[in-house]
């Protein structure tokens, strides 16, 4: 047996896995040997613990033979050229084989290229550093990679509507900005990456949040970004609004934000709704009573219905509207983004159909959505 183990070592095996113990009562259930800088580390696994032992390359064959012979039935060795397999019968007879590694398939440049994000790793972006997503050197913190992807996904949804436009300047309102993480990132992207002159206002009800955000904007040198305290309902914009962003505005606050955007004739609207309670409280289906029988089903159905109705009402008002997955479902259930872009002209039939569908759903489930009432329909 030792000769086969030695053969594996000479072939450049860097990892050995010893498995299939002879007895269920064996102390060790599995043994792994990994190549290290100064030899190999042997890991011996019991039911609940793992024990480590360091050996030199010269000692490895003897050590593995002592641990394996009469105690295990199989040894697998993994080398650059393929997998080495040693099977040991109940009588100690060895069967040795090598499964050659298939040659790597050369990928085209398109398939082999690392995914390009709109925010490039390696660039120091101060808000991302302060958020703990980037290190001071502009590298993504491993545990925050999913958040890095989420932010890029959000920017991609906006960039899709900007990349083919000739934009000289943008006036942006961010309703319910909160701590404004994405507000800062959006401002950075538009001004530093896209090189678009931007005047942006973040609006929130908390005075301490507004104060901190204004200090941060000054710290970053974001001169076109400021924060104001105020209510979404009835807010008077100090300029012609091109873009309205509303992220996680709670319940009907999203409806007021959308209504303001429509009133201003904003070119683009990007909204991630949150806490859609209104229609869940009204849910009283005439026929499909199953949808209201189970609380969680009614809640989720009402939330989706809320966003579908909002999307159709935006269509009725002359916007090409999409409901998109904002981020992966495993990170948050609040993953729908409403993207609405103003059309030059919307056919009357499209408007009528959109409104008719809304009225059908309202009638079938007893809904009275806030946005519908704000529009005076």
């Amino acid at each position: 047996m030792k000769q086969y183990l030695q053969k594996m070592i000479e072939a450049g095996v860097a990892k050995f896995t010893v498995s299939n113990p002879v007895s269920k009562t064996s102390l060790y259930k599995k043994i792994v040997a990994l190549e290290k800088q100064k030899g190999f580390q042997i890991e011996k696994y019991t039911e609940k613990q793992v024990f480590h032992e360091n050996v030199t390359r010269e000692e490895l064959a003897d050590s593995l033979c002592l641990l394996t012979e009469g105690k295990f039935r199989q040894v697998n060795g993994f080398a650059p050229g393929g997998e080495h397999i040693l099977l040991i019968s109940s009588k100690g007879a060895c069967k040795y084989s090598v499964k050659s590694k298939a040659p790597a398939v050369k990928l085209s440049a398109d398939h082999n290229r690392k995914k390009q994000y709109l925010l490039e790793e390696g660039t120091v972006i101060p808000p991302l550093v302060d958020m703990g997503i980037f290190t001071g050197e502009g590298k993504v913190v491993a545990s925050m990679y999913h958040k890095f992807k989420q932010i890029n996904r959000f920017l991609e949804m906006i960039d899709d509507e900007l990349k083919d436009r000739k934009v000289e300047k943008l006036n942006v309102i961010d309703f319910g900005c909160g701590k404004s993480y994405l507000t800062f990132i959006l401002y950075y992207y538009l001004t530093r990456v896209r090189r678009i002159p931007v005047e942006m206002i973040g609006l929130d009800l908390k005075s301490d949040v507004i104060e901190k955000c204004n200090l941060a904007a000054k710290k970053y040198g974001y001169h076109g970004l400021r924060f104001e305290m105020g209510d979404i309902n009835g807010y008077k914009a100090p300029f012609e609004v091109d873009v309205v962003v509303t992220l996680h505005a709670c319940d009907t606050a999203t409806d007021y934000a959308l209504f303001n955007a429509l009133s201003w004739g904003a070119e683009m609207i990007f909204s991630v709704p949150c806490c859609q309670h209104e229609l869940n409280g009204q849910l009283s289906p005439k026929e499909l009573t199953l949808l209201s029988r189970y609380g969680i089903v009614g809640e989720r159905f009402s939330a989706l219905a809320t966003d579908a109705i909002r999307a159709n009402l935006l269509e009725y008002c002359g916007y090409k509207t999409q409901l998109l997955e904002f981020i992966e479902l495993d990170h948050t259930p609040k993953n729908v983004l409403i993207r609405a872009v103003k059309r030059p002209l919307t056919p009357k039939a499209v408007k009528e159909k959109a409104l008719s569908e809304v009225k059908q759903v309202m009638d079938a489930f007893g809904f009275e959505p806030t946005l519908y009432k704000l529009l005076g329909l």
Side-chain angles (χ1 to χ4, degrees):
M1 178 180 175
K2 180 181 174 181
Q3 60 179 316
Y4 296 113
L5 294 172
Q6 191 63 49
K7 194 172 182 178
M8 290 186 190
I9 296 169
E10 291 170 359
V13 168
K15 177 182 178 181
F16 293 82
T17 300
V18 182
S19 60
N20 196 5
V22 170
S23 171
K24 292 183 179 180
T25 60
S26 296
L27 174 62
Y28 300 126
K29 308 304 177 185
K30 180 179 74 170
I31 295 171
V32 176
L34 299 170
E35 186 174 27
K36 300 293 181 181
Q37 190 173 3
K38 295 182 179 180
F40 280 79
Q41 182 179 75
I42 299 176
E43 301 171 345
K44 296 169 281 189
Y45 291 81
T46 67
E47 286 284 3
K48 297 181 180 179
Q49 293 177 289
V50 57
F51 297 92
H52 297 88
E53 176 187 355
N54 293 316
V55 299
T56 65
R57 180 176 294 275
E58 292 74 22
E59 297 170 333
L60 181 62
D62 285 328
S63 297
L64 284 180
C65 194
L66 182 64
L67 289 165
T68 304
E69 200 165 21
K71 301 169 186 173
F72 288 89
R73 301 286 192 209
Q74 185 169 340
V75 180
N76 293 71
F78 302 92
E83 181 181 0
H84 297 246
I85 305 167
L86 178 61
L87 302 177
I88 308 155
S89 72
S90 57
K91 296 182 178 180
C94 295
K95 182 180 179 181
Y96 178 72
S97 62
V98 179
K99 184 190 295 183
S100 296
K101 188 175 182 180
V105 177
K106 188 176 181 180
L107 298 177
S108 68
D110 287 342
H111 289 89
N112 204 28
R113 187 186 299 129
K114 183 180 178 182
K115 178 172 174 59
Q116 296 295 308
Y117 291 107
L118 295 180
L119 299 179
E120 294 185 1
E121 187 175 5
T123 303
V124 177
I125 303 174
L128 288 181
V129 175
D130 286 351
M131 290 163 64
I133 294 174
F134 271 12
T135 65
E137 294 74 39
K139 299 293 183 182
V140 180
V141 176
S143 62
M144 298 297 288
Y145 201 80
H146 69 283
K147 184 65 69 176
F148 176 66
K149 289 170 63 179
Q150 291 171 8
I151 290 171
N152 275 280
R153 175 63 175 145
F154 170 69
L155 293 178
E156 285 170 4
M157 291 180 174
I158 293 178
D159 191 69
D160 283 345
E161 298 301 332
L162 289 175
K163 60 188 178 185
D164 296 325
R165 291 171 177 247
K166 185 177 180 181
V167 182
E168 295 183 358
K169 185 184 177 184
L170 285 176
N171 294 328
V172 183
I173 295 286
D174 181 358
F175 279 122
C177 60
K179 294 181 180 178
S180 306
Y181 297 138
L182 282 176
T183 312
F184 288 121
I185 298 302
L186 178 58
Y187 183 87
Y188 169 87
Y189 180 71
L190 293 174
T191 58
R192 302 297 200 264
V193 180
R194 275 284 171 195
R195 301 291 180 183
I196 300 172
V198 171
E199 187 170 357
M200 183 182 294
I201 297 175
L203 189 72
D204 200 86
L205 289 170
K206 299 177 182 177
S207 58
D208 58 331
V209 168
I210 295 301
E211 183 179 357
K212 289 177 183 177
C213 288
N214 277 320
L215 289 173
K218 186 177 180 180
K219 168 187 168 184
Y220 299 144
Y222 293 173
H223 305 298
L225 173 61
R226 68 181 186 273
F227 297 87
E228 298 179 4
M229 188 171 69
D231 195 335
I232 290 175
N233 185 14
Y235 178 74
K236 306 297 182 183
F239 45 54
E240 289 188 7
V241 180
D242 301 306
V243 179
V244 170
V245 178
T246 167
L247 304 178
H248 298 153
C250 193
D251 202 13
T252 57
T254 294
D255 297 294
Y256 285 100
L258 294 177
F259 178 68
N260 275 12
L262 293 171
S263 300
W264 295 326
E267 287 293 320
M268 289 171 276
I269 303 169
F270 302 94
S271 176
V272 179
C274 176
C275 311
Q276 297 101 316
H277 297 309
E278 181 186 39
L279 297 194
N280 188 36
Q282 299 173 359
L283 180 61
S284 54
K286 291 182 176 179
E287 295 181 356
L288 301 175
T289 54
L290 176 63
L291 292 174
S292 62
R293 181 172 302 160
Y294 306 101
I296 191 169
V297 173
E299 180 182 342
R300 293 184 182 180
F301 168 73
S302 297
L304 291 171
T306 300
D307 291 334
I309 288 171
R310 286 166 173 163
N312 260 38
L313 290 175
L314 289 169
E315 286 277 349
Y316 171 76
C317 292
Y319 287 76
K320 177 185 176 183
T321 308
Q322 297 167 288
L323 297 181
L324 305 169
E325 187 177 62
F326 175 37
I327 47 182
E328 297 90 335
L329 278 167
D330 57 341
H331 292 127
T332 173
K334 301 162 187 173
N335 73 317
V336 174
L337 180 139
I338 302 172
R339 182 169 70 187
V341 180
K342 195 173 184 182
R343 284 189 171 109
L345 179 66
T346 303
K348 183 179 179 181
V350 172
K351 287 187 168 188
E352 290 178 347
K353 181 181 179 183
L355 186 58
S356 174
E357 289 174 343
V358 168
K359 289 180 177 179
Q360 287 173 17
V361 172
M362 289 172 59
D363 181 64
F365 295 98
F367 292 150
E368 295 181 13
T370 291
L371 183 57
Y372 182 88
K373 291 184 285 186
L374 287 171
L375 290 170
L377 299 173

